[in-house]
Amino acid sequence: MLFPYQFIENHSIYALQQWMDDLFLNVWCTADAAVDYNIDLLPDDLKEITLAIFYDARITTDYLYGPIERVYIIFQGFDQPTKDLLAQAYKNNNNVLDLCKQQNGCNPYVYSTLQALSEPLKNELISFYKSLFTSVIHLKAVQDKIGTIDSHYDEFVTTNDERKCPFCGLNSIKGPNRTVRDAYDHYLPKDIYPFNSINFKNLAPMCHECNSSHKLRQDPITSPNTNARRRAFFPYDTDNGYEINIDLTFSNPDINTLSENDVTVNLTSPTHQQEVDTWKEVFGIEERYKEKCASKTDGKYWFMQIHDEYNNLPFISKVFYSKGKHIQNVIKSARTNPFAAGNFIKASFLESCAKMGII
Ligand SMILES: [Zn+2]
């Protein structure tokens, strides 16, 4: 991830997650075998929307009322250590920061583990948590209380106003004045991890290509090859001091005929190498940056443009201003605004051309 997002504090939509915290930790995990389920056990706001949805004839799916009661009954059958284990699993899965950074002994809990513990519980929770994000959050009774995800998006992109997807740096992120918006990605996929489908620390707007062509359901914190835990960038990391170096080499010195296969992309970081390795794998970064370099309207254009700009200078200027100096100035200018017009790759591209003596 090229740069972190700034988290929007204090949006009313976060109430849904707070109700879910209350439900899981203070209702389900404390379910007493001797106390029959009663809707009065729920926190007031959750009780109100549960009843509003249940009695709304236009809503034909029982999103909350029945599932909440059935999960309570399953928890009534658990002993205290099992309830404690699930309470800790809930807290861990909602601690996206520590999971991404692999710190403070925070380990994730997955549906497959839950299935081994209780298949009925796993089946209830996978549809419950998915429906919170795909349906419940969009219901009018809920929006009347907590606002809309669109209003969160508008505030989000007003604060995060780079208008570039930080996961690739290539594509735009739609602004607040558009009639459509970019989708929120579940950074820790909702098919793998229970409990955090409406936790906005686990939701990050992403460009369509990153979301729908590359990341998909990939798990950034577990390697698909070894099943081992790995570190990943946390989208809302406040420690934004990391550096990523993009080093490009070309096996073909003729930029006009450069193809993707001629380009090697080496991504390094002095402090966040494991996060960079995860990022490039999950988002297909290498192939995308190779394509950018070999493209007629990017790499080949940058190469041609720098020659044209220099050649069009008045003869007298060129006496005191070498092409090498011009290239260094263009690179310097690109580095000052790295996320405009693909400048972060342009700078690396021109540096590599200069180093290879082909410009
Ligand atoms: Zn992107």
Side-chain angles (χ1 to χ4, degrees):
M1 185 173 191
L2 292 161
F3 55 90
Y5 276 135
Q6 188 179 331
F7 189 72
I8 303 300
E9 304 288 347
N10 303 321
H11 193 281
S12 53
I13 206 158
Y14 304 152
L16 186 54
Q17 173 71 18
Q18 286 154 13
W19 300 340
M20 289 305 132
D21 291 348
D22 216 352
L23 172 67
F24 197 92
L25 299 170
N26 302 326
V27 180
W28 288 341
C29 283
T30 61
D32 186 334
V35 178
D36 284 344
Y37 177 76
N38 184 307
I39 195 151
D40 290 330
L41 292 170
L42 301 186
D44 288 345
D45 285 323
L46 181 57
K47 176 181 160 186
E48 203 179 307
I49 61 156
T50 300
L51 289 173
I53 293 169
F54 187 69
Y55 287 114
D56 187 334
R58 293 163 300 181
I59 303 169
T60 53
T61 303
D62 182 10
Y63 292 115
L64 300 178
Y65 193 100
I68 288 174
E69 178 174 8
R70 291 195 295 274
V71 172
Y72 181 90
I73 291 167
I74 294 170
F75 269 79
Q76 280 182 304
F78 289 153
D79 58 18
Q80 196 56 44
T82 303
K83 290 177 192 168
D84 292 346
L85 180 149
L86 288 168
Q88 191 59 53
Y90 184 91
K91 289 174 190 166
N92 286 4
N93 276 17
N94 280 292
N95 188 348
V96 185
L97 167 72
D98 281 352
L99 289 176
C100 287
K101 291 185 168 240
Q102 269 192 301
Q103 64 186 15
N104 299 321
C106 190
N107 288 310
Y109 193 81
V110 293
Y111 275 117
S112 52
T113 309
L114 185 60
Q115 173 147 351
L117 178 76
S118 165
E119 192 165 0
L121 181 61
K122 179 250 172 184
N123 291 339
E124 287 289 351
L125 291 185
I126 200 161
S127 74
F128 180 78
Y129 285 113
K130 278 189 185 177
S131 77
L132 288 179
F133 184 77
T134 55
S135 305
V136 173
I137 205 166
H138 305 294
L139 296 173
K140 189 169 181 308
V142 178
Q143 289 181 339
D144 286 347
K145 274 203 171 291
I146 66 173
T148 63
I149 198 163
D150 287 351
S151 77
H152 180 271
Y153 183 87
D154 287 350
E155 199 178 318
F156 186 97
V157 293
T158 299
T159 299
N160 291 283
D161 61 356
E162 292 82 3
R163 297 286 176 275
K164 276 286 174 239
C165 172
F167 297 95
C168 63
L170 302 174
N171 300 321
S172 296
I173 288 286
K174 295 177 183 70
N177 297 316
R178 297 284 302 273
T179 52
V180 289
R181 61 169 172 83
D182 280 300
Y184 288 71
D185 174 72
H186 284 88
Y187 197 60
L188 305 185
K190 60 183 183 305
D191 291 327
I192 300 174
Y193 298 102
F195 318 137
N196 54 22
S197 66
I198 41 111
N199 181 342
F200 277 75
K201 292 263 169 87
N202 190 38
L203 289 163
M206 212 173 260
C207 78
H208 185 71
E209 189 184 357
C210 278
N211 194 359
S212 301
S213 300
H214 289 284
K215 172 135 184 318
L216 303 166
R217 293 172 180 181
Q218 288 192 77
D219 182 354
I221 61 167
T222 305
S223 163
N225 304 320
T226 63
N227 220 25
R229 289 270 284 113
R230 61 182 177 184
R231 282 201 299 277
F233 285 119
F234 173 51
Y236 300 102
D237 201 345
T238 49
D239 172 23
N240 59 359
Y242 59 82
E243 178 187 324
I244 299 175
N245 300 311
I246 303 170
D247 188 39
L248 305 167
T249 46
F250 311 128
S251 59
N252 173 6
D254 179 5
I255 296 298
N256 292 317
T257 61
L258 191 74
S259 83
E260 287 87 343
N261 295 334
D262 299 326
V263 182
T264 304
V265 179
N266 191 22
L267 297 161
T268 55
S269 170
T271 53
H272 290 64
Q273 190 59 48
Q274 201 177 125
E275 287 88 339
V276 166
D277 290 342
T278 301
W279 166 64
K280 73 179 181 192
E281 184 180 314
V282 170
F283 291 94
I285 294 300
E286 285 176 338
E287 67 171 55
R288 297 166 79 185
Y289 289 3
K290 283 181 185 188
E291 185 183 56
K292 187 101 178 152
C293 290
S295 160
K296 229 157 101 171
T297 49
D298 293 302
K300 287 176 181 138
Y301 171 70
W302 299 328
F303 185 76
M304 186 197 75
Q305 183 189 33
I306 210 153
H307 285 292
D308 283 355
E309 280 172 358
Y310 188 76
N311 291 340
N312 289 336
L313 287 174
F315 174 76
I316 191 71
S317 307
K318 287 190 259 190
V319 174
F320 302 103
Y321 183 61
S322 68
K323 186 181 262 186
K325 182 70 188 160
H326 179 62
I327 294 165
Q328 290 313 312
N329 281 345
V330 171
I331 291 170
K332 199 171 149 194
S333 167
R335 290 268 181 236
T336 59
N337 202 347
F339 301 111
N343 274 345
F344 68 105
I345 302 185
K346 179 180 177 178
S348 296
F349 179 92
L350 294 176
E351 271 169 4
S352 301
C353 290
K355 222 183 289 173
M356 292 173 71
I358 55 177
I359 198 166

